[in-house]
Amino acid sequence: MAEKKQFKAESKRLLDLMINSIYTHKEIFLRELISNASDATDKLYYKALTENISEINKSDLTIDLAFDKENRTLTVTDHGIGMNKEELEEHLGTIANSGSFKFKNETESDDIDIIGQFGVGFYSAFMVAKKVEVSSRAYGSDQGYTWVSEASDGYEIFETDNLPTGTTIKLYLKDNTEEENYDDYLDQYHIESLVKKYSDYVHYPIKMDVTTSKKKEDSDEYEDVVENKTLNSMVPLWKRNKKDIKDEEYNEFYKDKFNDFSDPMKVIHTSVEGNVSYDALLFIPSQPPMNFYSNDYEKGLQLYSRGVFIMDKASDLIPEHFRFVKGLVDSQDLSLNISREMLQHDRQLKVIADRIEKKIQSELTNMLKKDRETYEKFFKNFGLQLKFGIYQSYGMLKDKLQDLLLFYSGKEEKMITLKEYVENMKEGQTEIYFASGETKEKISHLPQVEAVRDRDFDVLYMMDNVDEFMIQMMRDYDSKAFKNVAQGDLNLDSEEEKKELEKVNEDNKVNFIDRTIEDNAEKFSQALLKKTARDFIEKFDYKAALDILDQLSDFPNLKSLREEIRDVVNCLSKKKIAYIREKLYDFSRVFKNQSILSDILSFPLDDSQKKALNYYLMIDVLKEREHIADVLIKAKSLAEFVIEEIIKKDHEGLIVFDGNLPKLNPSFPDKVAHGLSEIDTRLLSRKKLKQLSENLRLLLVDCLGIDSSYFNYYDKQNKELTKMLE
């Protein structure tokens, strides 16, 4: 009969602390037990290498999981070094005595990755288990032993015959409570997901018998089949040689890991050796996440330690101005707290964060120099964040970020850098001229801009709300002060020219705002304004058109025209668009009672058709305004709405499920399925928006029966509006 032993008083208090306080999430126990199993396997493999033991084959070194729902047990088995009686006593009877840490200090092999260091991970098992049973036989020993404990009741050790080399840990799970459902750890799919989340890159196969449903041969019936399945991928992508990794592998990894539909715009894969060593795999998304500029968005990189997942959002590893970067860092040198759930703020952390920041900055600089087209796409999506970085740092990040900024050049009619502006300054020019406004069209019509442009000076267009605040923080660039053309003296060459400019500005002001049509010059001015208003209407920029109409002198139809356009502006207000953006995750509420244009209510459509057509028309407007990100988000939402709310009711077999995720059935012989597949594959390509629009039309016509003539609503309306201007 085995002797019951008590934990030492200090150990008992520590054990209580372990169970109740150290770990935030109970599910972490499986990560800890698998990490211990990996360490034990590493020790045996190291012994085989150093002692040239041929009978130990690495392919046989697996970690096995098993669960028994009837007896409520979960088992973790390794085929590693094992433990004798004294080692069981030393490592399990003395809390925080880490055999892995001791082994790590005694060996200096780069081939062995020992994970454990604190000697407390094993006891996390008691967070979910009322009883833990450890059976082990040390390599080279004939006798096995079993360690059993119910935590507060101490432990006992007794001899056990016929044990294989290695260690088996059997957890007798606690009974369910109102707060905790311990049955989750007996669920095949939940166990698989925990292994995938925390231990996917443990470099030994983690295996488990899983039950799958398969079709019987020569029959339409299904049967349950038990297969021994490897649950982890073992080799992390970021540990492989970059030369051996295809772009497709990076893209698939990114989309799977970070739940994006599109390929990343840029992949940054770097490995650093030195006092602080780490691997980093970073991605710049091709478009901003839907909640990027909201308080709900959390920046940060995934953190791994020797391939073991530690935390999801390590915010200290990425600076705020690069918050758009997604990715991960794997380092053996970071100091973690005892639970390995969070970082300790130390020098190593700061070193890694600084190097990552410099790497991102360097990659963006290279992109700007070598791939201008891609960089401009990047800046359109994330340039605002760089500007916020300068503004929010009160200019302290100016030197880091100023050469990454782009602004629209009125002279060049394209995006340019501040460096390019300065290099092209006229002789004698001492200031950088800029003008602020909502759109390029509005800025270009400012009299002050025209006057500066007439002098052959370039003007930078500032169209983001943060621009002027950022400029105030920057003050200058390359010792050239920034000058707002709409404020103060423009420092033009002569007093005569200054007086002439003032006269021109005053005349333009009168002509633009409140002149009556008295002569041919005035008639020309009015005609020009009408043409400008017409251009804005055709581009669906109704707000800009309304601004022009408000400055026209009275003529027949002007009042009614203003009212018509004002109604449209109100319907397409930013407030309403923002509301829809916030509700995108709930498709039914997005479309419910959210008519974009009140005129659609008069169409002979049912509610589902009205909702879908409303959304399609908004997509069309946003497309013409070149709000690409909004177009893509809303197009995907529309397709998903139709799939989930409409098609599944009328087209049986179109939707199949991969786990819990709905997907299109590729074998479904319907052109609707083809249309949706095309949307899915073409959706995130900006160059194929025309095809996207056609597919959306196909979807709505074929599935909802919307008459194709309704899609021309804006074209018809715009023709009527422009007629009123004639």
Side-chain angles (χ1 to χ4, degrees), residues 123-275:
Y123 303 97
S124 63
F126 288 107
M127 293 191 297
V128 301
K130 57 187 176 184
K131 177 182 173 182
V132 178
E133 186 177 284
V134 181
S135 300
S136 188
R137 179 166 73 88
Y139 178 80
S141 175
D142 296 328
Q143 183 62 57
Y145 297 88
T146 298
W147 182 97
V148 181
S149 176
E150 297 181 19
S152 60
D153 197 33
Y155 64 94
E156 56 184 325
I157 301 176
F158 50 84
E159 292 184 358
T160 309
D161 296 328
N162 301 319
L163 289 179
T165 300
T167 301
T168 297
I169 301 175
K170 180 179 287 188
L171 310 184
Y172 295 83
L173 298 184
K174 295 178 180 179
D175 297 327
N176 295 330
T177 66
E178 291 184 2
E179 293 79 22
E180 294 287 345
N181 182 19
Y182 295 98
D183 285 349
D184 285 344
Y185 306 115
L186 299 171
D187 179 77
Q188 168 183 309
Y189 300 104
H190 191 64
I191 295 171
E192 286 184 80
S193 69
L194 291 180
V195 172
K196 200 73 179 173
K197 179 178 180 180
Y198 292 106
S199 308
D200 195 35
Y201 306 115
V202 170
H203 50 259
Y204 297 103
I206 303 172
K207 296 190 171 190
M208 185 175 72
D209 288 340
V210 299
T211 302
T212 57
S213 184
K214 289 192 174 183
K215 206 172 196 178
K216 293 182 179 179
E217 291 186 10
D218 304 323
S219 174
D220 292 333
E221 295 182 0
Y222 285 81
E223 62 179 349
D224 288 340
V225 178
V226 178
E227 298 176 326
N228 192 249
K229 178 182 177 183
T230 299
L231 306 182
N232 60 324
S233 56
M234 289 181 281
V235 181
L237 185 68
W238 60 89
K239 287 289 189 182
R240 292 167 53 190
N241 193 315
K242 287 186 283 187
K243 297 179 181 178
D244 300 331
I245 305 174
K246 299 178 180 177
D247 291 343
E248 292 79 7
E249 293 181 273
Y250 281 126
N251 295 341
E252 288 305 312
F253 178 87
Y254 166 76
K255 289 188 285 189
D256 179 65
K257 200 76 171 175
F258 300 100
N259 300 314
D260 201 344
F261 293 107
S262 57
D263 295 337
M265 179 178 293
K266 179 71 177 177
V267 179
I268 304 172
H269 187 177
T270 181
S271 296
V272 177
E273 301 288 341
N275 293 332

Side-chain angles (χ1 to χ4, degrees), residues 669-682:
D670 196 297
K671 65 178 179 177
V672 175
H674 175 72
L676 285 172
S677 298
E678 287 293 298
I679 289 172
D680 203 49
T681 57
R682 298 174 183 268

Side-chain angles (χ1 to χ4, degrees), residues 553-693:
S553 299
D554 191 31
F555 67 89
N557 297 326
L558 180 58
K559 183 178 180 182
S560 57
L561 180 59
R562 284 172 176 162
E563 290 176 354
E564 292 248 8
I565 295 193
R566 188 169 283 108
D567 286 342
V568 179
V569 170
N570 291 335
C571 289
L572 289 171
S573 66
K574 290 183 179 180
K575 184 177 180 182
K576 187 153 289 185
I577 294 175
Y579 175 82
I580 292 175
R581 183 194 291 272
E582 291 173 3
K583 303 297 182 183
L584 274 174
Y585 285 117
D586 188 344
F587 300 129
S588 62
R589 280 193 292 162
V590 170
F591 292 93
K592 188 177 181 180
N593 298 323
Q594 288 298 313
S595 179
I596 306 305
L597 294 166
S598 58
D599 293 338
I600 293 178
L601 295 173
S602 64
F603 290 171
L605 305 171
D606 61 31
D607 288 342
S608 296
Q609 291 172 320
K610 289 176 183 176
K611 294 171 185 176
L613 184 58
N614 278 346
Y615 218 56
Y616 174 88
L617 293 175
M618 170 169 277
I619 289 169
D620 206 39
V621 171
L622 294 170
K623 182 182 72 176
E624 292 299 323
R625 293 179 177 180
E626 297 186 350
H627 294 177
I628 307 301
D630 285 339
V631 170
L632 299 177
I633 291 169
K634 290 173 173 59
K636 189 70 173 179
S637 300
L638 176 58
E640 290 176 345
F641 168 73
V642 177
I643 291 172
E644 296 189 6
E645 300 295 328
I646 305 298
I647 298 179
K648 67 183 180 184
K649 299 177 183 177
D650 303 321
H651 297 271
E652 187 177 356
L654 178 59
I655 305 299
V656 295
F657 286 86
D658 183 6
N660 295 322
L661 299 175
K663 290 189 175 182
L664 292 171
N665 186 348
S667 63
F668 193 80
D670 196 297
K671 65 178 179 177
V672 175
H674 175 72
L676 285 172
S677 298
E678 287 293 298
I679 289 172
D680 203 49
T681 57
R682 298 174 183 268
L683 180 61
L684 299 172
S685 173
R686 299 185 185 189
K687 298 179 180 179
K688 298 179 179 178
L689 288 179
K690 183 178 179 181
Q691 185 64 48
L692 168 64
S693 183

